[in-house]
Amino acid sequence: MQTGFRLNLSPVKEPLGFVKVLEWITAVLAFGTCGGFSGRNVLSVFCDGSNETLTATFTYPFRLNHELLVEQNRTLCNRSVSATHLVGDSSSSVEFFVAVAVLAFLYSMLALIVYLGYMHVYRDSDFGPMFDFVLTAVFAFLWLVCSSAWARGLQTVKDATSTAGMESTLALCKDRGVRCEVTEFASMRSLNISVVFGFLNLIIWAGNAWFVYKETRWHSQKVNAQQTPGRAPAPAPI
């Protein structure tokens, strides 16, 4: 069996290769829409006829408890306010999400190289399709877990940077005659899109598992067993 590289674009025209291209693209879009994000909410503090503003900046990987809302010993509404940080830490969920997306991107690219150059080796061996199927199933499961975790982490970010979240964080907002309100919100559209792409990847990888399974000997053995003719019935006695 020859094992050299043979460029063949026909696998991309089949579901097996075409879906891998989709996986490669959606993985890029998944981590590209949340990695490197930077947002800013403006909190207005109304008191005694005056208006003070505070800026809450939050960036990837969303360690909100490291982000200062009020710098140390700042005076607001004629009161000395100590250093105050935002509340929450979504770094573990978003970093897990990005890690899965990057690994899925790399594996999809590697699989495409195999499909386009070594499909003759891939289909002549048992190991290649079986390994591909197992990893595809594992990635489908990982997309389910990381997308669910990041969706929950994103909700934590939204809650912490909302008016209610900042009011509970800043003790000054609970004083009589003081009202706090977020008057300028950062756009989190790209973060919402990243969650959508996460679950879209789940659907694509789970669907692709079927096409990869059809390349394995497990499927071929099942088909052969179903196509094997049974014994012909004995002729009836005359």
Side-chain angles (χ1 to χ4, degrees), residues 52-128:
E52 305 264 7
T53 59
L54 299 172
T55 300
T57 302
F58 47 100
T59 61
Y60 175 88
F62 308 107
R63 292 186 177 91
L64 301 182
N65 52 4
H66 292 179
E67 304 290 348
L68 274 172
L69 176 61
V70 180
E71 296 181 359
Q72 190 171 7
N73 297 327
R74 176 170 176 176
T75 301
L76 292 171
C77 300
N78 298 322
R79 300 169 177 84
S80 179
V81 181
S82 60
T84 305
H85 292 79
L86 296 175
V87 175
D89 186 351
S90 298
S91 60
S92 59
S93 61
V94 71
E95 286 175 342
F96 178 40
F97 180 83
V98 169
V100 171
V102 171
L103 290 174
F105 162 76
L106 294 175
Y107 179 68
S108 298
M109 185 166 56
L110 178 61
L112 281 172
I113 293 174
V114 172
Y115 291 171
L116 297 179
Y118 299 95
M119 183 56 81
H120 56 290
V121 179
Y122 178 89
R123 283 182 169 156
D124 286 343
S125 66
D126 289 336
F127 175 76

